[in-house]
Amino acid sequence: MRRRLTELGLVRGSTIKIIRNDNFGPIIISLGDGSGSGRLAIGRGMAHKIMVEEL
């Protein structure tokens, strides 16, 4: 799973923002802080395994 997240651009130290987190379906996040940003949809099982720190 770590390799898959790295391939998607989600690496240690990345800045993310949660775009949509409904009670069902995937969680949509925004990667980056501006020019190189992109959106990514990840499943809830994968999302529960990602450790984050709120800024």
Side-chain angles (χ1 to χ4, degrees):
M1 183 176 64
R2 181 180 292 174
R3 181 174 33 172
R4 176 72 175 136
L5 290 172
T6 301
E7 290 171 353
L8 294 172
L10 190 63
V11 295
R12 185 180 298 223
S14 295
T15 301
I16 66 168
K17 179 179 179 182
I18 297 174
I19 303 297
R20 186 179 343 159
N21 183 9
D22 297 331
N23 290 332
F24 56 91
I27 296 174
I28 301 176
I29 60 173
S30 174
L31 292 173
D33 57 354
S35 61
S37 65
R39 288 189 178 185
L40 178 65
I42 57 174
R44 295 194 169 273
M46 187 178 286
H48 283 291
K49 295 178 182 176
I50 299 172
M51 296 179 65
V52 297
E53 179 180 335
E54 188 174 356
L55 296 177

